[in-house]
Amino acid sequence: MDRLCYDPRSAVSKSKKKPTNLEPRIANRRAKFDYAVTDKLECGIQLMGSEVKSVRLGQVSLAEGYAAVDPKTMTLTLHGVDIAHYPQAGPLQHETKRTRRLLAHRREIERLFGKTSAKGTTLIPLAMYFVRGRVKVEIGVGTGKRQSDKRQDMKKRDADREIRKAMTRKVIG
């Protein structure tokens, strides 16, 4: 008598795929309001172990951060980003606002250096997230907005919101 062996785990594992990215995406919401972002670049970041654990918990503040290119060594560094202490790390903690090295190709760094040499442009961190277990930082070339530009953006957002609200009322009513 032939019996068919049925393993319920094999059926579940074949049909259900795990998402590759379960970790949080920390976004700098203030950056889009204060700067007009023209160009973006995804780069790696050199972190300590306790910093990676804090990023996994989402304890990062990108609001005051900026990136800079050192013209002598052509390295990219991240300044002013606050990564909170990881409570289980014990007494040997990392500094919360230390300068961290960003990892990018030399030609990309040179391109960013050329774009930021103009007055009024800076490199700002837009988001921090995980890709296949590695922390990535998305930086953008930003030009500071004037107060009038910010007001126009707010008016445009409000108008778009009103249009969407009117369209949903039209469909429902």
Side-chain angles (χ1 to χ4, degrees), residues 2 6 17 25-26 37-38 53 65-66 73 85 94 111 116 118 126 128 134 139 142 148 153 159 171-172:
D2 287 334
Y6 176 71
K17 291 187 178 181
R25 179 180 170 90
I26 299 115
V37 180
T38 56
K53 299 265 187 179
Y66 66 96
T73 59
H85 289 294
H94 62 272
R111 183 175 56 89
T116 56
L126 300 174
M128 189 177 281
R134 311 239 177 195
I139 58 174
S148 60
D153 286 347
V171 171
I172 293 171

Side-chain angles (χ1 to χ4, degrees), residues 32-48:
K32 295 270 172 103
F33 184 73
D34 290 336
Y35 298 96
V37 180
T38 56
D39 195 19
K40 294 178 184 178
L41 173 70
E42 178 185 87
C43 54
I45 184 168
Q46 196 172 18
L47 296 175
M48 295 173 63

Side-chain angles (χ1 to χ4, degrees), residues 3-147:
R3 282 195 209 178
L4 296 174
C5 292
Y6 176 71
D7 186 8
R9 289 175 291 169
S10 64
V12 172
S13 63
K14 288 180 183 176
S15 64
K16 216 177 197 183
K17 291 187 178 181
K18 291 183 181 179
T20 58
N21 207 4
L22 297 174
E23 291 81 1
R25 179 180 170 90
I26 299 115
N28 187 357
R29 298 185 338 206
R30 191 81 191 157
K32 295 270 172 103
F33 184 73
D34 290 336
Y35 298 96
V37 180
T38 56
D39 195 19
K40 294 178 184 178
L41 173 70
E42 178 185 87
C43 54
I45 184 168
Q46 196 172 18
L47 296 175
M48 295 173 63
S50 59
E51 290 174 322
V52 175
K53 299 265 187 179
S54 290
V55 172
R56 267 191 212 285
L57 293 176
Q59 298 177 339
V60 180
S61 173
L62 298 173
E64 314 86 36
Y66 66 96
V69 178
D70 183 19
K72 292 179 184 174
T73 59
M74 275 300 160
T75 56
L76 196 57
T77 53
L78 187 65
H79 303 271
V81 171
D82 187 13
I83 299 178
H85 289 294
Y86 184 64
Q88 286 83 12
L92 301 173
Q93 291 281 345
H94 62 272
E95 288 182 42
T96 56
K97 284 197 172 187
R98 71 179 182 92
T99 302
R100 296 168 179 93
R101 185 166 173 235
L102 294 175
L103 309 171
H105 291 286
R106 187 177 181 89
R107 66 179 177 276
E108 292 172 337
I109 296 172
E110 289 171 353
R111 183 175 56 89
L112 289 176
F113 181 66
K115 288 187 178 191
T116 56
S117 60
K119 187 178 178 185
T121 58
T122 186
L123 294 172
I124 48 173
L126 300 174
M128 189 177 281
Y129 49 90
F130 283 84
V131 175
R132 287 186 239 114
R134 311 239 177 195
V135 181
K136 300 291 181 180
V137 178
E138 184 178 37
I139 58 174
V141 178
T143 307
K145 287 185 184 177
R146 292 198 169 98
Q147 195 67 28

Side-chain angles (χ1 to χ4, degrees), residues 151-167 169:
R151 281 193 210 108
Q152 286 176 354
D153 286 347
M154 287 170 54
K155 285 179 186 176
K156 184 180 178 198
R157 258 199 322 261
D158 290 341
D160 290 343
R161 190 178 304 124
E162 291 296 324
I163 290 169
R164 274 184 284 153
K165 190 187 272 186
M167 293 298 283
R169 268 192 245 129

